[in-house]
Amino acid sequence: MKIAFTGKGGSGKSTLAALFVQHLRAAGHRVLAVDADVNVHLAPLLGVTARAEDALSHPDNVRSVRTHLLGGNTRIAGVEHFVATTPPGPGSRLVTLDPADPVLARHATPLDHRAHVLHVGTYEPADIGSGCYHGHLAILENLLSHLDPADDGWVVCDMVAGTDAFANSLHAQFDMIVVVAEPTPESVSVARRYRELAAAAGVADAVVVAGNKVADELDREYLERELGVAPIAVLGMQAGLRRARQAGNPPLPQDLDDAAPLARIARHAESRPISAGRRADLMRTLHLRVAGKGWVRAAHGDVTGQLGPVTV
């Protein structure tokens, strides 16, 4: 099960993602938490120091992960010909959430034997004036598309803020995307736009809204009225959580006035996984779109051959 949290910056998406990870851990699930936000908040919220040399997007780590994923897949000319949408094929190695999996063992920080944390990374001094964070995210897209569909663990991703996920394939990679919205015009406008783009991308049913910092019933009604959909979960102002954070403690479900919204999010996700066939169709369409870009053809040649034949 793959679930992402996004929303306007400051909406509480990273904190809610961290709380959800802890909820899953307490329930005994295997969890891979992925910090994909340029601001790198999820890893510290889980007690992990996000060092630049450990970042998934560090060039050495990109090559290591892609070399592992490539395996014996002859549809890909080499690790340097991976693009963001490169799919697995015959001979590819898939990633599991087993702690012995080579990708987790080499690149993830364990919280315990059932929970691990990866962080994509952020801008480094060398990137100033020449780097684009979307390029950092390509290795995450490769990792997500090469996850073993038979694995029964959870991937929880703190996504880039706002609608940046539509610049690449991230919007098509998750079973559910939780847009965290505060009852303010600015936060609502981001959530509304996210839902509009999801509809245009064919993943409207994967996107849900969680209300955060909701003070009263008027706030709840405001969210539902402005977004045209009821939030699947609503969290209040959470004074206990604020006190814990002010004390420098990582957020935990027991800091909440009521942790039931976390269980509701989990149940909702479990009720609506995207089928393997549908995801393959979405990713195939996106790969062909990427393959048609001039810079991709110039750098990698024709990557349409990375796709397998269409199955009926």
Side-chain angles (χ1 to χ4, degrees):
M1 185 66 62
K2 294 184 286 188
I3 180 170
F5 290 82
T6 190
K8 181 182 177 298
S11 63
K13 68 180 185 65
S14 300
T15 301
L16 187 54
L19 287 165
F20 190 68
V21 168
Q22 301 291 19
H23 168 77
L24 294 174
R25 291 180 68 196
H29 295 288
R30 288 185 300 133
V31 187
L32 174 61
V34 181
D35 192 335
D37 193 347
V38 66
N39 294 308
V40 194
H41 288 317
L42 179 61
L45 286 170
L46 293 172
V48 172
T49 300
R51 303 186 307 167
E53 60 267 33
D54 296 331
L56 200 59
S57 63
H58 187 286
D60 292 343
N61 298 333
V62 169
R63 175 164 285 274
S64 171
V65 172
R66 285 179 172 165
T67 298
H68 175 75
L69 299 180
L70 176 63
N73 184 358
T74 57
R75 290 178 184 162
I76 306 172
V79 292
E80 65 276 9
H81 292 286
F82 267 81
V83 295
T85 52
T86 291
S92 293
R93 297 190 184 102
L94 301 181
V95 176
T96 73
L97 301 195
D98 187 308
D101 181 273
V103 171
L104 266 62
R106 294 173 192 161
H107 304 290
T109 300
L111 299 177
D112 57 43
H113 71 288
R114 299 179 67 83
H116 293 76
V117 181
L118 284 169
H119 74 282
V120 172
T122 186
Y123 287 113
E124 299 300 331
D127 298 322
I128 295 173
S130 62
C132 172
Y133 189 65
H134 293 146
H136 287 59
L137 292 168
I139 185 60
L140 172 60
E141 296 174 77
N142 297 151
L143 177 64
L144 291 172
S145 65
H146 284 71
L147 285 171
D148 188 343
D151 194 286
D152 62 354
W154 288 72
V155 176
V156 180
C157 182
D158 182 21
M159 196 112 78
V160 287
T163 55
D164 277 355
F166 292 96
N168 41 47
S169 70
L170 285 176
H171 64 276
Q173 297 265 26
F174 295 96
D175 296 293
M176 192 170 81
I177 298 174
V178 180
V179 183
V180 182
E182 300 174 78
T184 66
E186 296 79 13
S187 189
V188 162
S189 69
V190 170
R192 185 185 299 118
R193 183 59 177 158
Y194 206 100
R195 296 184 69 237
E196 291 169 355
L197 290 172
V203 293
D205 58 330
V207 175
V208 298
V209 175
N212 193 29
K213 306 175 190 176
V214 175
D216 51 30
E217 190 60 30
L218 291 177
D219 278 352
R220 184 197 296 262
E221 291 173 357
Y222 175 82
L223 286 173
E224 185 168 352
R225 181 176 68 252
E226 294 297 316
L227 294 173
V229 63
I232 64 162
V234 173
L235 289 91
M237 298 303 290
Q238 306 300 333
L241 180 61
R242 189 184 299 267
R243 297 291 89 79
R245 297 297 300 123
Q246 290 170 346
N249 299 323
L252 296 171
Q254 52 264 39
D255 296 323
L256 298 176
D257 299 336
D258 179 9
L262 302 176
R264 284 196 289 274
I265 292 172
R267 287 196 301 270
H268 200 81
E270 290 173 322
S271 72
R272 55 193 299 151
I274 293 179
S275 70
R278 182 183 170 199
R279 178 170 286 117
D281 289 343
L282 288 168
M283 293 300 295
R284 185 181 188 91
T285 298
L286 290 168
H287 185 72
L288 291 172
R289 190 174 299 168
V290 168
K293 294 183 180 295
W295 70 267
V296 172
R297 293 197 301 271
H300 304 286
D302 182 7
V303 297
T304 59
Q306 294 180 357
L307 294 169
V310 177
T311 57
V312 179

